[in-house]
Amino acid sequence: MKTIQFREAIAEAMSEEMRRDESIYLMGEEVAEYNGAYKASKGMLDEFGPRRVIDTPISELGFAGVGVGSAMNGNRPIIEFMTFNFALVGIDQIINNAAKIRQMSGGQFDCPIVFRGPTASAGQLAATHSQAFESWYANCPGLKVVVPSNPRDAKGLLKSAIRDNDPVIFMESEQMYGDKGEVPEDEYTIPLGVAEIKREGKDVTIVSFGKIIKEAYKAADELEKEGIQCEIIDLRTVKPMDTETILTSVKKTNRLVILEEAWPFGNVATEITYQVQQKAFDYLDAPIAKINTADTPAPYSPVLLEEWLPNHEDVIRAVKKVMYK
């Protein structure tokens, strides 16, 4: 094992796959000359040259469309958005072309493309740069949605996403790029659609994904001091969702708390709640609790932003509520 930063895990995954397959290229704003807005493509221009590491104008709709068209013609593009907030400008290409072309062409065209970049909040970036769209993309048939929370998962999942023959939405975080973690020295991949139990426990199941899962770990450490053992599941892939891992855990703990950095109406936690009550209702000893942001645009004020975001204290309160403590 070696210890590397999240941004290095992303760069390694892309570089290893580009060495393996010449049809893969990276395209986006500042990915080449600047080594990536968050240095997640550092050194790649020097190794692969400007034909495979391509800087673009500020034109998300344009370069998303170029990527979709090239994917239909045998390439495997990686399209980087500086944040997924900016992907809204190119969302027509993602939803109406990438996600649908296999069906609309009667299977004549695959669309092996990865759209990647940061999601959700990253400090005081205000309302239009702090949005989490995982549930939006997961709602669209034809797309796979991946949200890793650590360097090891990021590298293994990104390699699998690049090799996948369908479009994959791969969501990172500005606030995770500097995170360090152990990553295997040898070649490895992590399959899409498989959650992982990051911490075993018997009293309550906590499901989360992405950077906000850190708040679940903090809460579990505090709750353990009070004799409450939390089982933490990292969803890793939002769609396809690994509901079996969640159901198996809930059948053991009989309680469920879901932590997600997203607006509360119609999000990923809502779908998990439905799946569990539909398939494991008789195992529940308490109503399911879900923890989200406030139902407002993200505020700029640091005081209001702290109140808007979920935190470990919210998780502790939710856990005690489902345990009737």
Side-chain angles (χ1 to χ4, degrees), residues 5-16:
Q5 291 184 333
F6 193 104
R7 60 168 58 88
E8 294 173 303
I10 295 295
E12 283 191 4
M14 294 190 293
S15 297
E16 288 175 12

Side-chain angles (χ1 to χ4, degrees), residues 72-94:
M72 292 168 60
N73 283 279
N75 292 302
R76 307 185 80 88
I78 305 166
I79 303 301
E80 178 178 314
F81 296 118
M82 198 173 291
T83 87
F84 266 94
N85 299 284
F86 306 149
L88 294 181
V89 183
I91 198 168
D92 179 60
Q93 289 291 343
I94 300 170

Side-chain angles (χ1 to χ4, degrees), residues 25 54 86 130 144 151 183 219 224 234 295 317 324:
Y25 68 90
I54 305 166
F86 306 149
S130 303
K144 298 176 181 177
V183 171
E224 190 172 37
D234 188 341
D295 195 12
R317 281 193 292 270
Y324 303 110

Side-chain angles (χ1 to χ4, degrees), residues 23-266:
S23 71
I24 300 168
Y25 68 90
L26 172 65
M27 181 165 61
E29 296 158 4
E30 298 185 350
V31 300
E33 297 288 347
Y34 192 66
N35 286 308
Y38 314 105
K39 302 299 181 261
S41 52
K42 187 176 182 179
M44 291 179 64
L45 175 63
D46 292 338
E47 178 174 357
F48 299 105
R51 290 186 68 253
R52 298 183 66 196
V53 182
I54 305 166
D55 276 332
T56 69
I58 302 174
S59 55
E60 286 81 4
L61 180 63
F63 63 77
V66 170
V68 172
S70 70
M72 292 168 60
N73 283 279
N75 292 302
R76 307 185 80 88
I78 305 166
I79 303 301
E80 178 178 314
F81 296 118
M82 198 173 291
T83 87
F84 266 94
N85 299 284
F86 306 149
L88 294 181
V89 183
I91 198 168
D92 179 60
Q93 289 291 343
I94 300 170
I95 300 296
N96 282 330
N97 290 331
K100 295 177 174 61
I101 195 62
R102 181 194 287 273
Q103 184 191 53
M104 292 196 304
S105 69
Q108 294 179 80
F109 288 105
D110 292 333
C111 194
I113 186 170
V114 175
F115 298 99
R116 51 159 292 269
T119 184
S121 67
Q124 288 179 262
L125 299 181
T128 62
H129 288 191
S130 303
Q131 302 167 108
F133 295 121
E134 292 89 327
S135 62
W136 286 31
Y137 290 108
N139 184 253
C140 179
L143 298 177
K144 298 176 181 177
V145 182
V146 181
V147 194
S149 67
N150 60 79
R152 180 184 178 276
D153 287 352
K155 181 177 179 180
L157 289 165
L158 183 53
K159 288 170 72 72
S160 293
I162 293 168
R163 296 181 189 188
D164 202 278
N165 285 327
D166 289 313
V168 179
I169 307 296
F170 195 92
M171 303 177 117
E172 304 153 16
S173 168
E174 291 107 314
Q175 292 182 323
M176 287 198 298
Y177 285 121
D179 289 358
K180 292 183 178 180
E182 288 191 338
V183 171
E185 293 272 6
D186 297 332
E187 165 78 14
Y188 76 101
T189 60
I190 295 173
L192 306 186
V194 180
E196 184 174 49
I197 296 174
K198 298 293 190 181
R199 178 175 181 145
E200 294 193 357
K202 64 179 179 62
D203 295 319
V204 60
T205 299
I206 303 175
V207 177
S208 190
F209 57 89
K211 79 172 191 293
I212 201 69
I213 199 172
K214 296 176 186 179
E215 299 300 317
Y217 296 142
K218 291 179 190 176
D221 288 341
E222 291 297 316
L223 289 163
E224 190 172 37
K225 297 173 185 176
E226 302 180 33
I228 299 172
Q229 296 182 18
C230 301
E231 180 145 293
I232 300 178
I233 296 175
D234 188 341
L235 206 53
R236 302 197 297 190
T237 303
V238 169
K239 191 177 183 180
M241 185 183 290
D242 183 2
T243 54
E244 287 306 313
T245 294
I246 300 170
L247 292 170
T248 299
S249 178
V250 169
K251 289 176 182 178
K252 177 176 72 171
T253 66
N254 310 116
R255 295 171 174 85
L256 175 61
V257 172
I258 309 163
L259 172 63
E260 178 188 6
E261 185 184 339
W263 296 310
F265 188 89

